[in-house]
Amino acid sequence: MVFAAANLAELVLMAEEGFVCGIDVGGEKKGFHLCILGKDTVELFAHARQPQELISLLEIHLAHRNRKLKCIAVDGPARSFRARNSIRESEAELARRGYRVLYTPAKRPNSQHWMINSETIHRSMAMHFPDSILLETYPSAISDRLFGLEASLPLALFQERRKRKFYGDYIDAYLCALTARKYLENEAEILEDGPADRKHQSPFALPEFSITRATLSFIFNKDQVLLGLKKKGFGKGYWNGFGGKIETGEKPVQAAAREIQEECKLKASRLKPAGKLYFHFDDDPRRIEGFLFTTHKFSGQPEETAEMKPQWYNIHELPFDQMWEDDRFWLPYVLMGKKVHATFRFKKKKMLDYSIEVIH
């Protein structure tokens, strides 16, 4: 009897926890890709051409697991045309952030348009799962917020050429499901629509993570680069370039020039973008988005400040043993005039893993 009671309690807990799912919407030939996400892991990837087929797969899985569906995020609008002539505010905000947006049209598109599929799946999900929260989201914007996160994606889910053909769609479905999960955890940003569109559209959500935006700049003088020994705070005892947090309302290049002057008294100009670095620390809540800059143009002489002790180094003789571990992997490319985009994960000042792209 005790064993039976324990099993019953376990089943009740499972039912209360619930699933979230994400849906990637394609055109008539591609159909829909679905991801069901448990608490931490992906349980199901599914592909179906018709909404009813997708819903049937979802209902079978929910019944088998004895779980409810708490939240659904779809990468498309709940209505295939907007409520007024001007574009939706949520889509305008995405465009302001630099994303290529496929705007919801002013008039209902033809039946082959993918937004018709999006409208259909929203309506079908609302009908079959009336107690679930329905969201709209945008995988391209989600992917820029991923650093510092880990996911369990069983590789067997991508077995077969047919699945590999659509792996990008499955990943987008996962990103949608991640948005649904973060929404339930109150870690989502809502991009608001105007009142007219809001009546017809689902809330537009993106996962929200605390990010510190900062700069890191390197000043050159012929075959030398100026480094600073950090005297206090984060990174104390390490040689590095010059930089710090970007203030509210400040552009990255403005922050870079200000930080250089504050940390070593030089007035730098013609700061050239050299890429981006993302950092996550497993034992620290901070996530850093770093904007890289380089310049050969400056005035004045470097001076020691309360923050940094500056020193010129030959670009081929850098003190990597007294620098952050990641520097040796990307800094040589920046010194060669190339751009880098990289992501690094640390724990207790030790690098765990990283990804890097060098742009010529």
Side-chain angles (χ1 to χ4, degrees):
M1 293 295 293
V2 174
F3 179 73
N7 277 348
L8 179 61
E10 201 172 284
L11 288 172
V12 170
L13 179 61
M14 289 173 67
E16 288 178 349
E17 283 181 352
F19 281 125
V20 299
C21 82
I23 300 175
D24 175 76
V25 181
E28 187 179 25
K29 292 183 179 180
K30 185 182 285 187
F32 308 91
H33 289 82
L34 169 78
C35 172
I36 295 181
L37 188 62
K39 185 175 182 181
D40 299 306
T41 61
V42 171
E43 289 215 0
L44 170 67
F45 279 137
H47 178 214
R49 298 292 175 86
Q50 300 299 324
Q52 190 53 51
E53 293 172 352
L54 196 78
I55 288 168
S56 178
L57 290 167
L58 182 52
E59 288 178 329
I60 291 169
H61 188 80
L62 293 171
H64 177 66
R65 294 296 199 199
N66 190 33
R67 300 276 189 104
K68 292 182 178 180
L69 186 60
K70 293 281 186 92
C71 190
I72 306 157
V74 183
D75 77 333
R79 192 168 85 158
S80 59
F81 60 101
R82 55 185 183 257
R84 53 182 187 161
N85 287 331
S86 57
I87 63 175
R88 293 171 57 195
E89 283 85 343
S90 57
E91 294 173 343
E93 176 58 27
L94 284 176
R96 280 193 291 271
R97 298 182 186 187
Y99 294 103
R100 178 177 173 269
V101 179
L102 298 174
Y103 294 104
T104 305
K107 297 180 179 180
R108 179 179 291 277
N110 63 55
S111 60
Q112 284 76 43
H113 197 282
W114 73 273
M115 285 193 186
I116 293 292
N117 264 359
S118 179
E119 178 180 302
T120 301
I121 198 66
H122 270 275
R123 186 170 57 249
S124 299
M125 297 298 277
M127 184 184 303
H128 285 83
F129 305 101
D131 296 329
S132 299
I133 299 167
L134 259 170
L135 304 172
E136 180 183 352
T137 191
Y138 189 66
S140 294
I142 302 168
S143 66
D144 285 344
R145 299 168 175 231
L146 291 181
F147 71 100
L149 296 182
E150 290 190 16
S152 176
L153 296 174
L155 293 180
L157 296 177
F158 296 107
Q159 183 181 337
E160 269 195 342
R161 182 173 58 188
R162 288 180 59 83
K163 291 191 178 73
R164 293 198 301 274
K165 180 180 178 181
F166 297 114
Y167 79 93
D169 302 298
Y170 286 117
I171 293 298
D172 281 353
Y174 167 75
L175 295 180
C176 293
L178 176 65
T179 300
R181 174 63 66 199
K182 291 300 177 182
Y183 182 88
L184 292 181
E185 295 171 352
N186 294 316
E187 294 181 8
E189 175 188 15
I190 302 299
L191 305 188
E192 295 289 349
D193 274 320
D197 281 308
R198 201 156 51 232
K199 290 180 182 178
H200 305 284
Q201 302 290 358
S202 300
F204 199 118
L206 295 172
E208 187 173 52
F209 309 108
S210 58
I211 297 175
T212 298
R213 299 171 73 241
T215 64
L216 185 60
S217 301
F218 294 89
I219 302 165
F220 298 102
N221 184 13
K222 296 181 181 178
D223 61 349
Q224 291 187 313
V225 61
L226 187 66
L227 299 180
L229 182 65
K230 195 77 176 348
K231 296 169 63 176
K232 62 180 182 179
F234 188 66
K236 179 182 178 181
Y238 286 172
W239 291 98
N240 208 342
F242 300 89
K245 293 180 182 178
I246 299 172
E247 303 294 343
T248 303
E250 197 174 33
K251 294 181 179 179
V253 68
Q254 294 171 331
R258 174 183 55 77
E259 288 287 348
I260 289 170
Q261 188 165 13
E262 289 177 358
E263 293 186 339
C264 68
K265 303 300 183 181
L266 292 182
K267 291 185 178 180
S269 59
R270 299 187 188 179
L271 287 156
K272 180 181 177 182
K276 270 188 181 183
L277 302 178
Y278 295 92
F279 296 95
H280 172 250
F281 302 84
D282 279 7
D283 49 350
D284 192 308
R286 76 185 77 200
R287 293 181 174 92
I288 301 173
E289 178 185 23
F291 294 78
L292 288 172
F293 292 94
T294 61
T295 186
H296 291 80
K297 298 293 182 180
F298 62 91
S299 61
Q301 293 295 323
E303 298 178 25
E304 184 172 349
T305 63
E307 190 79 20
M308 302 282 266
K309 177 183 177 181
Q311 183 174 320
W312 291 103
Y313 279 91
N314 186 292
I315 60 173
H316 301 295
E317 298 175 355
L318 300 181
F320 283 124
D321 289 342
Q322 202 177 344
M323 300 175 72
W324 283 98
E325 188 179 356
D326 61 279
D327 289 0
R328 68 195 66 205
F329 299 104
W330 61 266
L331 184 53
Y333 294 105
V334 171
L335 298 181
M336 288 187 279
K338 300 177 181 179
K339 288 185 178 181
V340 296
H341 284 252
T343 300
F344 298 91
R345 186 164 64 106
F346 279 81
K347 185 173 184 179
K348 296 181 179 179
K349 293 189 177 182
K350 294 297 295 180
M351 190 176 73
L352 300 180
D353 52 57
Y354 69 103
S355 65
I356 187 167
E357 178 186 6
V358 180
I359 303 172
H360 294 270

